[in-house]
Amino acid sequence: MIRFPRYGGGGNGGGGRDDYPDFGERLRRYRLGLMIGLAAVVMLFVSFTSAYIVRQGLGSYDQATQVYVTDWKPLSLPMGLLILNTCILLVSSFTIEMARRSAFAQAAIEPVTEMPGIAKETEHRFPWLPITVVLGIGFLVGQLFAWHEMGRRGFFVSSSPSSSFFYVLTGMHGVHLLGGVLALVYALAATYRTRPLERKRIVVDISAWYWHFMGILWLYIFALLKFAA
């Protein structure tokens, strides 16, 4: 198992602090913070799901016809667009994972390349991270096209409770995914800055796990809208 060196090298090293946490500890802290944040997102969408299911079963009694009626209308989803967007997001999850592994591999060999007489690797790495950013933006643009198509079919935010939930669920996911895109842009900028490689690795790692979560969350929302409508 590769162990990454601590920052600094002792009280007389002049390069850092002895009490500064090493890379593994810092990575665990950031991952723990991410999990706490994602737990809040899970609770938010669980609340949306509960409201979705409860509202779907609500209705009113029509005195004129003496029947129980509901204002919940089945949605005509643009399946082609949504499936395409899903494929884009799944591919982006693969590319961000490759970027994460590439960052880990680069950090693993850095102690060796820093040794005197060892030439550093100069070849350009595959741009997994920029590709992920492009795919993420492509997914968001595709969702906007899906919204436009829903409007063309007569489903607007105020058309019915079912269409309202469609826009709320996909919109909230889009907002959180946009946050992921901004995090990826920051991670991409961090890779070109003169910062410690381990810090760059943490940024890419946390961004990758957040992105994977957004992919899983979208699959859940897509299935909910398709099969529970």
Side-chain angles (χ1 to χ4, degrees), residues 52-88:
Y52 181 90
I53 295 174
V54 171
R55 184 61 184 84
Q56 187 179 24
L58 292 180
S60 60
Y61 186 76
D62 190 348
Q63 295 290 344
T65 59
Q66 295 185 350
V67 295
Y68 187 79
V69 296
T70 179
D71 55 357
W72 189 274
K73 300 179 181 179
L75 294 176
S76 175
L77 298 175
M79 292 302 298
L81 271 173
L82 295 179
I83 291 175
L84 176 61
N85 294 343
T86 302
C87 292
I88 291 175

PDB file of all heavy atoms in Angstrom, residues 52-88:
ATOM      1  N   TYR A  52     -44.994  13.566  -3.606  1.00  0.00           N
ATOM      2  CA  TYR A  52     -45.405  13.114  -4.937  1.00  0.00           C
ATOM      3  C   TYR A  52     -46.421  11.979  -4.828  1.00  0.00           C
ATOM      4  O   TYR A  52     -47.484  12.003  -5.471  1.00  0.00           O
ATOM      5  CB  TYR A  52     -44.170  12.669  -5.707  1.00  0.00           C
ATOM      6  CG  TYR A  52     -44.419  12.194  -7.119  1.00  0.00           C
ATOM      7  CD1 TYR A  52     -44.383  13.085  -8.183  1.00  0.00           C
ATOM      8  CD2 TYR A  52     -44.655  10.850  -7.390  1.00  0.00           C
ATOM      9  CE1 TYR A  52     -44.586  12.652  -9.487  1.00  0.00           C
ATOM     10  CE2 TYR A  52     -44.864  10.407  -8.687  1.00  0.00           C
ATOM     11  CZ  TYR A  52     -44.828  11.313  -9.728  1.00  0.00           C
ATOM     12  OH  TYR A  52     -45.036  10.883 -11.010  1.00  0.00           O
ATOM     13  N   ILE A  53     -46.121  10.998  -4.019  1.00  0.00           N
ATOM     14  CA  ILE A  53     -46.996   9.826  -3.893  1.00  0.00           C
ATOM     15  C   ILE A  53     -48.300  10.202  -3.208  1.00  0.00           C
ATOM     16  O   ILE A  53     -49.391   9.774  -3.623  1.00  0.00           O
ATOM     17  CB  ILE A  53     -46.265   8.709  -3.129  1.00  0.00           C
ATOM     18  CG1 ILE A  53     -45.054   8.221  -3.948  1.00  0.00           C
ATOM     19  CG2 ILE A  53     -47.206   7.546  -2.845  1.00  0.00           C
ATOM     20  CD1 ILE A  53     -44.192   7.219  -3.224  1.00  0.00           C
ATOM     21  N   VAL A  54     -48.226  11.005  -2.145  1.00  0.00           N
ATOM     22  CA  VAL A  54     -49.439  11.405  -1.432  1.00  0.00           C
ATOM     23  C   VAL A  54     -50.338  12.258  -2.321  1.00  0.00           C
ATOM     24  O   VAL A  54     -51.556  12.038  -2.396  1.00  0.00           O
ATOM     25  CB  VAL A  54     -49.073  12.172  -0.138  1.00  0.00           C
ATOM     26  CG1 VAL A  54     -50.323  12.787   0.486  1.00  0.00           C
ATOM     27  CG2 VAL A  54     -48.395  11.243   0.850  1.00  0.00           C
ATOM     28  N   ARG A  55     -49.739  13.220  -3.023  1.00  0.00           N
ATOM     29  CA  ARG A  55     -50.538  14.099  -3.880  1.00  0.00           C
ATOM     30  C   ARG A  55     -51.161  13.338  -5.031  1.00  0.00           C
ATOM     31  O   ARG A  55     -52.275  13.672  -5.490  1.00  0.00           O
ATOM     32  CB  ARG A  55     -49.658  15.230  -4.415  1.00  0.00           C
ATOM     33  CG  ARG A  55     -50.436  16.260  -5.248  1.00  0.00           C
ATOM     34  CD  ARG A  55     -51.489  16.913  -4.393  1.00  0.00           C
ATOM     35  NE  ARG A  55     -52.323  17.842  -5.146  1.00  0.00           N
ATOM     36  CZ  ARG A  55     -53.381  17.487  -5.870  1.00  0.00           C
ATOM     37  NH1 ARG A  55     -53.747  16.204  -5.927  1.00  0.00           N
ATOM     38  NH2 ARG A  55     -54.100  18.398  -6.507  1.00  0.00           N
ATOM     39  N   GLN A  56     -50.496  12.324  -5.502  1.00  0.00           N
ATOM     40  CA  GLN A  56     -51.029  11.525  -6.601  1.00  0.00           C
ATOM     41  C   GLN A  56     -52.333  10.839  -6.206  1.00  0.00           C
ATOM     42  O   GLN A  56     -53.227  10.653  -7.033  1.00  0.00           O
ATOM     43  CB  GLN A  56     -49.989  10.483  -7.029  1.00  0.00           C
ATOM     44  CG  GLN A  56     -50.355   9.691  -8.268  1.00  0.00           C
ATOM     45  CD  GLN A  56     -49.268   8.696  -8.629  1.00  0.00           C
ATOM     46  OE1 GLN A  56     -48.489   8.286  -7.780  1.00  0.00           O
ATOM     47  NE2 GLN A  56     -49.211   8.315  -9.884  1.00  0.00           N
ATOM     48  N   GLY A  57     -52.448  10.455  -4.939  1.00  0.00           N
ATOM     49  CA  GLY A  57     -53.649   9.752  -4.495  1.00  0.00           C
ATOM     50  C   GLY A  57     -54.765  10.648  -4.013  1.00  0.00           C
ATOM     51  O   GLY A  57     -55.853  10.162  -3.687  1.00  0.00           O
ATOM     52  N   LEU A  58     -54.519  11.945  -3.945  1.00  0.00           N
ATOM     53  CA  LEU A  58     -55.554  12.859  -3.468  1.00  0.00           C
ATOM     54  C   LEU A  58     -56.547  13.176  -4.582  1.00  0.00           C
ATOM     55  O   LEU A  58     -56.231  13.133  -5.766  1.00  0.00           O
ATOM     56  CB  LEU A  58     -54.927  14.159  -2.958  1.00  0.00           C
ATOM     57  CG  LEU A  58     -54.094  14.049  -1.675  1.00  0.00           C
ATOM     58  CD1 LEU A  58     -53.537  15.424  -1.315  1.00  0.00           C
ATOM     59  CD2 LEU A  58     -54.926  13.501  -0.529  1.00  0.00           C
ATOM     60  N   GLY A  59     -57.758  13.532  -4.174  1.00  0.00           N
ATOM     61  CA  GLY A  59     -58.790  13.912  -5.124  1.00  0.00           C
ATOM     62  C   GLY A  59     -59.909  14.620  -4.397  1.00  0.00           C
ATOM     63  O   GLY A  59     -59.773  14.992  -3.231  1.00  0.00           O
ATOM     64  N   SER A  60     -61.003  14.781  -5.080  1.00  0.00           N
ATOM     65  CA  SER A  60     -62.163  15.450  -4.477  1.00  0.00           C
ATOM     66  C   SER A  60     -63.445  14.787  -4.966  1.00  0.00           C
ATOM     67  O   SER A  60     -63.464  14.144  -6.029  1.00  0.00           O
ATOM     68  CB  SER A  60     -62.154  16.943  -4.821  1.00  0.00           C
ATOM     69  OG  SER A  60     -62.211  17.117  -6.221  1.00  0.00           O
ATOM     70  N   TYR A  61     -64.482  14.960  -4.180  1.00  0.00           N
ATOM     71  CA  TYR A  61     -65.768  14.365  -4.520  1.00  0.00           C
ATOM     72  C   TYR A  61     -66.603  15.382  -5.271  1.00  0.00           C
ATOM     73  O   TYR A  61     -66.892  16.470  -4.774  1.00  0.00           O
ATOM     74  CB  TYR A  61     -66.501  13.915  -3.255  1.00  0.00           C
ATOM     75  CG  TYR A  61     -67.779  13.169  -3.526  1.00  0.00           C
ATOM     76  CD1 TYR A  61     -67.756  11.848  -3.950  1.00  0.00           C
ATOM     77  CD2 TYR A  61     -69.019  13.799  -3.362  1.00  0.00           C
ATOM     78  CE1 TYR A  61     -68.934  11.154  -4.208  1.00  0.00           C
ATOM     79  CE2 TYR A  61     -70.200  13.126  -3.615  1.00  0.00           C
ATOM     80  CZ  TYR A  61     -70.144  11.803  -4.043  1.00  0.00           C
ATOM     81  OH  TYR A  61     -71.329  11.125  -4.279  1.00  0.00           O
ATOM     82  N   ASP A  62     -66.984  15.027  -6.489  1.00  0.00           N
ATOM     83  CA  ASP A  62     -67.785  15.910  -7.331  1.00  0.00           C
ATOM     84  C   ASP A  62     -69.261  15.716  -6.988  1.00  0.00           C
ATOM     85  O   ASP A  62     -69.836  14.649  -7.228  1.00  0.00           O
ATOM     86  CB  ASP A  62     -67.515  15.598  -8.805  1.00  0.00           C
ATOM     87  CG  ASP A  62     -68.133  16.634  -9.733  1.00  0.00           C
ATOM     88  OD1 ASP A  62     -68.940  17.448  -9.265  1.00  0.00           O
ATOM     89  OD2 ASP A  62     -67.793  16.621 -10.931  1.00  0.00           O
ATOM     90  N   GLN A  63     -69.875  16.746  -6.437  1.00  0.00           N
ATOM     91  CA  GLN A  63     -71.276  16.652  -6.038  1.00  0.00           C
ATOM     92  C   GLN A  63     -72.196  16.507  -7.238  1.00  0.00           C
ATOM     93  O   GLN A  63     -73.253  15.854  -7.156  1.00  0.00           O
ATOM     94  CB  GLN A  63     -71.664  17.913  -5.238  1.00  0.00           C
ATOM     95  CG  GLN A  63     -70.939  18.069  -3.922  1.00  0.00           C
ATOM     96  CD  GLN A  63     -71.386  17.031  -2.899  1.00  0.00           C
ATOM     97  OE1 GLN A  63     -72.418  16.374  -3.041  1.00  0.00           O
ATOM     98  NE2 GLN A  63     -70.572  16.891  -1.848  1.00  0.00           N
ATOM     99  N   ALA A  64     -71.803  17.090  -8.363  1.00  0.00           N
ATOM    100  CA  ALA A  64     -72.674  17.042  -9.536  1.00  0.00           C
ATOM    101  C   ALA A  64     -72.761  15.637 -10.107  1.00  0.00           C
ATOM    102  O   ALA A  64     -73.854  15.128 -10.399  1.00  0.00           O
ATOM    103  CB  ALA A  64     -72.187  18.022 -10.596  1.00  0.00           C
ATOM    104  N   THR A  65     -71.616  15.026 -10.288  1.00  0.00           N
ATOM    105  CA  THR A  65     -71.599  13.677 -10.862  1.00  0.00           C
ATOM    106  C   THR A  65     -71.591  12.588  -9.808  1.00  0.00           C
ATOM    107  O   THR A  65     -71.750  11.414 -10.124  1.00  0.00           O
ATOM    108  CB  THR A  65     -70.367  13.507 -11.761  1.00  0.00           C
ATOM    109  OG1 THR A  65     -69.182  13.726 -10.960  1.00  0.00           O
ATOM    110  CG2 THR A  65     -70.381  14.526 -12.896  1.00  0.00           C
ATOM    111  N   GLN A  66     -71.376  12.989  -8.552  1.00  0.00           N
ATOM    112  CA  GLN A  66     -71.327  12.058  -7.423  1.00  0.00           C
ATOM    113  C   GLN A  66     -70.276  10.956  -7.634  1.00  0.00           C
ATOM    114  O   GLN A  66     -70.525   9.780  -7.373  1.00  0.00           O
ATOM    115  CB  GLN A  66     -72.711  11.426  -7.174  1.00  0.00           C
ATOM    116  CG  GLN A  66     -73.761  12.430  -6.748  1.00  0.00           C
ATOM    117  CD  GLN A  66     -75.085  11.783  -6.387  1.00  0.00           C
ATOM    118  OE1 GLN A  66     -75.292  10.596  -6.633  1.00  0.00           O
ATOM    119  NE2 GLN A  66     -75.988  12.552  -5.795  1.00  0.00           N
ATOM    120  N   VAL A  67     -69.145  11.390  -8.118  1.00  0.00           N
ATOM    121  CA  VAL A  67     -68.013  10.477  -8.296  1.00  0.00           C
ATOM    122  C   VAL A  67     -66.774  11.133  -7.714  1.00  0.00           C
ATOM    123  O   VAL A  67     -66.693  12.358  -7.551  1.00  0.00           O
ATOM    124  CB  VAL A  67     -67.780  10.121  -9.777  1.00  0.00           C
ATOM    125  CG1 VAL A  67     -68.950   9.347 -10.340  1.00  0.00           C
ATOM    126  CG2 VAL A  67     -67.513  11.380 -10.586  1.00  0.00           C
ATOM    127  N   TYR A  68     -65.805  10.299  -7.392  1.00  0.00           N
ATOM    128  CA  TYR A  68     -64.526  10.769  -6.850  1.00  0.00           C
ATOM    129  C   TYR A  68     -63.594  11.062  -8.021  1.00  0.00           C
ATOM    130  O   TYR A  68     -63.291  10.172  -8.827  1.00  0.00           O
ATOM    131  CB  TYR A  68     -63.929   9.693  -5.944  1.00  0.00           C
ATOM    132  CG  TYR A  68     -62.699  10.129  -5.189  1.00  0.00           C
ATOM    133  CD1 TYR A  68     -62.795  10.902  -4.048  1.00  0.00           C
ATOM    134  CD2 TYR A  68     -61.438   9.757  -5.627  1.00  0.00           C
ATOM    135  CE1 TYR A  68     -61.676  11.304  -3.338  1.00  0.00           C
ATOM    136  CE2 TYR A  68     -60.297  10.162  -4.929  1.00  0.00           C
ATOM    137  CZ  TYR A  68     -60.431  10.932  -3.783  1.00  0.00           C
ATOM    138  OH  TYR A  68     -59.321  11.320  -3.091  1.00  0.00           O
ATOM    139  N   VAL A  69     -63.178  12.323  -8.155  1.00  0.00           N
ATOM    140  CA  VAL A  69     -62.350  12.735  -9.291  1.00  0.00           C
ATOM    141  C   VAL A  69     -60.979  13.167  -8.792  1.00  0.00           C
ATOM    142  O   VAL A  69     -60.808  13.558  -7.631  1.00  0.00           O
ATOM    143  CB  VAL A  69     -63.007  13.890 -10.072  1.00  0.00           C
ATOM    144  CG1 VAL A  69     -64.323  13.436 -10.696  1.00  0.00           C
ATOM    145  CG2 VAL A  69     -63.222  15.098  -9.169  1.00  0.00           C
ATOM    146  N   THR A  70     -60.020  13.099  -9.674  1.00  0.00           N
ATOM    147  CA  THR A  70     -58.661  13.515  -9.359  1.00  0.00           C
ATOM    148  C   THR A  70     -58.150  14.460 -10.431  1.00  0.00           C
ATOM    149  O   THR A  70     -58.553  14.357 -11.604  1.00  0.00           O
ATOM    150  CB  THR A  70     -57.718  12.303  -9.251  1.00  0.00           C
ATOM    151  OG1 THR A  70     -56.401  12.755  -8.962  1.00  0.00           O
ATOM    152  CG2 THR A  70     -57.714  11.501 -10.539  1.00  0.00           C
ATOM    153  N   ASP A  71     -57.350  15.400 -10.026  1.00  0.00           N
ATOM    154  CA  ASP A  71     -56.761  16.332 -10.989  1.00  0.00           C
ATOM    155  C   ASP A  71     -55.356  15.914 -11.402  1.00  0.00           C
ATOM    156  O   ASP A  71     -54.627  16.687 -12.027  1.00  0.00           O
ATOM    157  CB  ASP A  71     -56.733  17.754 -10.414  1.00  0.00           C
ATOM    158  CG  ASP A  71     -56.014  17.816  -9.069  1.00  0.00           C
ATOM    159  OD1 ASP A  71     -55.598  16.753  -8.560  1.00  0.00           O
ATOM    160  OD2 ASP A  71     -55.880  18.932  -8.522  1.00  0.00           O
ATOM    161  N   TRP A  72     -54.986  14.698 -11.043  1.00  0.00           N
ATOM    162  CA  TRP A  72     -53.670  14.184 -11.426  1.00  0.00           C
ATOM    163  C   TRP A  72     -53.744  13.637 -12.844  1.00  0.00           C
ATOM    164  O   TRP A  72     -54.457  12.678 -13.119  1.00  0.00           O
ATOM    165  CB  TRP A  72     -53.230  13.087 -10.454  1.00  0.00           C
ATOM    166  CG  TRP A  72     -51.807  12.654 -10.646  1.00  0.00           C
ATOM    167  CD1 TRP A  72     -51.352  11.715 -11.505  1.00  0.00           C
ATOM    168  CD2 TRP A  72     -50.661  13.158  -9.956  1.00  0.00           C
ATOM    169  NE1 TRP A  72     -49.993  11.577 -11.412  1.00  0.00           N
ATOM    170  CE2 TRP A  72     -49.535  12.460 -10.454  1.00  0.00           C
ATOM    171  CE3 TRP A  72     -50.473  14.116  -8.966  1.00  0.00           C
ATOM    172  CZ2 TRP A  72     -48.252  12.688  -9.994  1.00  0.00           C
ATOM    173  CZ3 TRP A  72     -49.198  14.362  -8.508  1.00  0.00           C
ATOM    174  CH2 TRP A  72     -48.099  13.655  -9.018  1.00  0.00           C
ATOM    175  N   LYS A  73     -52.997  14.236 -13.760  1.00  0.00           N
ATOM    176  CA  LYS A  73     -53.038  13.843 -15.160  1.00  0.00           C
ATOM    177  C   LYS A  73     -51.763  13.106 -15.551  1.00  0.00           C
ATOM    178  O   LYS A  73     -50.668  13.531 -15.189  1.00  0.00           O
ATOM    179  CB  LYS A  73     -53.207  15.081 -16.047  1.00  0.00           C
ATOM    180  CG  LYS A  73     -54.479  15.870 -15.788  1.00  0.00           C
ATOM    181  CD  LYS A  73     -54.552  17.085 -16.679  1.00  0.00           C
ATOM    182  CE  LYS A  73     -55.809  17.895 -16.418  1.00  0.00           C
ATOM    183  NZ  LYS A  73     -55.873  19.102 -17.274  1.00  0.00           N
ATOM    184  N   PRO A  74     -51.897  11.996 -16.274  1.00  0.00           N
ATOM    185  CA  PRO A  74     -50.697  11.285 -16.736  1.00  0.00           C
ATOM    186  C   PRO A  74     -49.851  12.188 -17.636  1.00  0.00           C
ATOM    187  O   PRO A  74     -50.370  12.966 -18.425  1.00  0.00           O
ATOM    188  CB  PRO A  74     -51.265  10.094 -17.514  1.00  0.00           C
ATOM    189  CG  PRO A  74     -52.665   9.946 -17.024  1.00  0.00           C
ATOM    190  CD  PRO A  74     -53.137  11.328 -16.676  1.00  0.00           C
ATOM    191  N   LEU A  75     -48.548  12.063 -17.496  1.00  0.00           N
ATOM    192  CA  LEU A  75     -47.631  12.883 -18.273  1.00  0.00           C
ATOM    193  C   LEU A  75     -47.218  12.172 -19.551  1.00  0.00           C
ATOM    194  O   LEU A  75     -47.045  10.948 -19.576  1.00  0.00           O
ATOM    195  CB  LEU A  75     -46.383  13.223 -17.457  1.00  0.00           C
ATOM    196  CG  LEU A  75     -46.562  14.106 -16.227  1.00  0.00           C
ATOM    197  CD1 LEU A  75     -45.238  14.256 -15.496  1.00  0.00           C
ATOM    198  CD2 LEU A  75     -47.112  15.470 -16.609  1.00  0.00           C
ATOM    199  N   SER A  76     -47.038  12.956 -20.595  1.00  0.00           N
ATOM    200  CA  SER A  76     -46.474  12.448 -21.838  1.00  0.00           C
ATOM    201  C   SER A  76     -45.016  12.893 -21.885  1.00  0.00           C
ATOM    202  O   SER A  76     -44.693  13.994 -22.342  1.00  0.00           O
ATOM    203  CB  SER A  76     -47.249  12.989 -23.043  1.00  0.00           C
ATOM    204  OG  SER A  76     -46.646  12.592 -24.260  1.00  0.00           O
ATOM    205  N   LEU A  77     -44.156  12.046 -21.356  1.00  0.00           N
ATOM    206  CA  LEU A  77     -42.750  12.407 -21.227  1.00  0.00           C
ATOM    207  C   LEU A  77     -42.019  12.328 -22.568  1.00  0.00           C
ATOM    208  O   LEU A  77     -42.287  11.409 -23.361  1.00  0.00           O
ATOM    209  CB  LEU A  77     -42.055  11.488 -20.223  1.00  0.00           C
ATOM    210  CG  LEU A  77     -42.570  11.530 -18.782  1.00  0.00           C
ATOM    211  CD1 LEU A  77     -41.855  10.475 -17.948  1.00  0.00           C
ATOM    212  CD2 LEU A  77     -42.363  12.914 -18.174  1.00  0.00           C
ATOM    213  N   PRO A  78     -41.099  13.237 -22.827  1.00  0.00           N
ATOM    214  CA  PRO A  78     -40.247  13.128 -24.029  1.00  0.00           C
ATOM    215  C   PRO A  78     -39.164  12.075 -23.809  1.00  0.00           C
ATOM    216  O   PRO A  78     -38.013  12.399 -23.505  1.00  0.00           O
ATOM    217  CB  PRO A  78     -39.671  14.539 -24.171  1.00  0.00           C
ATOM    218  CG  PRO A  78     -39.646  15.087 -22.778  1.00  0.00           C
ATOM    219  CD  PRO A  78     -40.820  14.474 -22.070  1.00  0.00           C
ATOM    220  N   MET A  79     -39.547  10.836 -23.953  1.00  0.00           N
ATOM    221  CA  MET A  79     -38.664   9.733 -23.573  1.00  0.00           C
ATOM    222  C   MET A  79     -37.355   9.737 -24.349  1.00  0.00           C
ATOM    223  O   MET A  79     -36.297   9.417 -23.800  1.00  0.00           O
ATOM    224  CB  MET A  79     -39.385   8.399 -23.769  1.00  0.00           C
ATOM    225  CG  MET A  79     -40.538   8.171 -22.802  1.00  0.00           C
ATOM    226  SD  MET A  79     -40.004   8.233 -21.077  1.00  0.00           S
ATOM    227  CE  MET A  79     -38.865   6.855 -21.039  1.00  0.00           C
ATOM    228  N   GLY A  80     -37.419  10.077 -25.625  1.00  0.00           N
ATOM    229  CA  GLY A  80     -36.191  10.090 -26.416  1.00  0.00           C
ATOM    230  C   GLY A  80     -35.152  11.049 -25.850  1.00  0.00           C
ATOM    231  O   GLY A  80     -33.979  10.689 -25.677  1.00  0.00           O
ATOM    232  N   LEU A  81     -35.602  12.258 -25.527  1.00  0.00           N
ATOM    233  CA  LEU A  81     -34.689  13.257 -24.962  1.00  0.00           C
ATOM    234  C   LEU A  81     -34.183  12.832 -23.586  1.00  0.00           C
ATOM    235  O   LEU A  81     -32.985  12.954 -23.282  1.00  0.00           O
ATOM    236  CB  LEU A  81     -35.399  14.605 -24.850  1.00  0.00           C
ATOM    237  CG  LEU A  81     -35.317  15.540 -26.052  1.00  0.00           C
ATOM    238  CD1 LEU A  81     -36.206  16.747 -25.847  1.00  0.00           C
ATOM    239  CD2 LEU A  81     -33.880  15.966 -26.305  1.00  0.00           C
ATOM    240  N   LEU A  82     -35.077  12.331 -22.751  1.00  0.00           N
ATOM    241  CA  LEU A  82     -34.681  11.954 -21.393  1.00  0.00           C
ATOM    242  C   LEU A  82     -33.717  10.764 -21.398  1.00  0.00           C
ATOM    243  O   LEU A  82     -32.791  10.711 -20.588  1.00  0.00           O
ATOM    244  CB  LEU A  82     -35.919  11.629 -20.555  1.00  0.00           C
ATOM    245  CG  LEU A  82     -36.864  12.816 -20.297  1.00  0.00           C
ATOM    246  CD1 LEU A  82     -38.064  12.371 -19.477  1.00  0.00           C
ATOM    247  CD2 LEU A  82     -36.125  13.942 -19.586  1.00  0.00           C
ATOM    248  N   ILE A  83     -33.932   9.828 -22.300  1.00  0.00           N
ATOM    249  CA  ILE A  83     -33.010   8.687 -22.402  1.00  0.00           C
ATOM    250  C   ILE A  83     -31.647   9.156 -22.896  1.00  0.00           C
ATOM    251  O   ILE A  83     -30.601   8.715 -22.394  1.00  0.00           O
ATOM    252  CB  ILE A  83     -33.594   7.601 -23.323  1.00  0.00           C
ATOM    253  CG1 ILE A  83     -34.811   6.936 -22.657  1.00  0.00           C
ATOM    254  CG2 ILE A  83     -32.539   6.549 -23.658  1.00  0.00           C
ATOM    255  CD1 ILE A  83     -35.518   5.935 -23.542  1.00  0.00           C
ATOM    256  N   LEU A  84     -31.645  10.066 -23.872  1.00  0.00           N
ATOM    257  CA  LEU A  84     -30.378  10.614 -24.369  1.00  0.00           C
ATOM    258  C   LEU A  84     -29.642  11.342 -23.251  1.00  0.00           C
ATOM    259  O   LEU A  84     -28.425  11.176 -23.080  1.00  0.00           O
ATOM    260  CB  LEU A  84     -30.645  11.553 -25.537  1.00  0.00           C
ATOM    261  CG  LEU A  84     -29.418  12.292 -26.104  1.00  0.00           C
ATOM    262  CD1 LEU A  84     -28.385  11.299 -26.636  1.00  0.00           C
ATOM    263  CD2 LEU A  84     -29.839  13.275 -27.195  1.00  0.00           C
ATOM    264  N   ASN A  85     -30.372  12.149 -22.490  1.00  0.00           N
ATOM    265  CA  ASN A  85     -29.751  12.862 -21.367  1.00  0.00           C
ATOM    266  C   ASN A  85     -29.201  11.894 -20.333  1.00  0.00           C
ATOM    267  O   ASN A  85     -28.134  12.131 -19.752  1.00  0.00           O
ATOM    268  CB  ASN A  85     -30.766  13.802 -20.725  1.00  0.00           C
ATOM    269  CG  ASN A  85     -31.187  14.929 -21.644  1.00  0.00           C
ATOM    270  OD1 ASN A  85     -30.522  15.210 -22.639  1.00  0.00           O
ATOM    271  ND2 ASN A  85     -32.300  15.560 -21.321  1.00  0.00           N
ATOM    272  N   THR A  86     -29.937  10.811 -20.106  1.00  0.00           N
ATOM    273  CA  THR A  86     -29.470   9.800 -19.152  1.00  0.00           C
ATOM    274  C   THR A  86     -28.166   9.168 -19.622  1.00  0.00           C
ATOM    275  O   THR A  86     -27.237   8.972 -18.828  1.00  0.00           O
ATOM    276  CB  THR A  86     -30.543   8.719 -18.960  1.00  0.00           C
ATOM    277  OG1 THR A  86     -31.759   9.328 -18.500  1.00  0.00           O
ATOM    278  CG2 THR A  86     -30.095   7.675 -17.952  1.00  0.00           C
ATOM    279  N   CYS A  87     -28.097   8.863 -20.907  1.00  0.00           N
ATOM    280  CA  CYS A  87     -26.863   8.270 -21.452  1.00  0.00           C
ATOM    281  C   CYS A  87     -25.690   9.250 -21.321  1.00  0.00           C
ATOM    282  O   CYS A  87     -24.571   8.837 -20.986  1.00  0.00           O
ATOM    283  CB  CYS A  87     -27.071   7.884 -22.916  1.00  0.00           C
ATOM    284  SG  CYS A  87     -28.231   6.527 -23.164  1.00  0.00           S
ATOM    285  N   ILE A  88     -25.952  10.528 -21.567  1.00  0.00           N
ATOM    286  CA  ILE A  88     -24.893  11.533 -21.434  1.00  0.00           C
ATOM    287  C   ILE A  88     -24.387  11.573 -20.000  1.00  0.00           C
ATOM    288  O   ILE A  88     -23.168  11.617 -19.744  1.00  0.00           O
ATOM    289  CB  ILE A  88     -25.412  12.920 -21.863  1.00  0.00           C
ATOM    290  CG1 ILE A  88     -25.668  12.940 -23.364  1.00  0.00           C
ATOM    291  CG2 ILE A  88     -24.411  14.014 -21.477  1.00  0.00           C
ATOM    292  CD1 ILE A  88     -26.295  14.236 -23.856  1.00  0.00           C
TER     293      ILE A  88
END
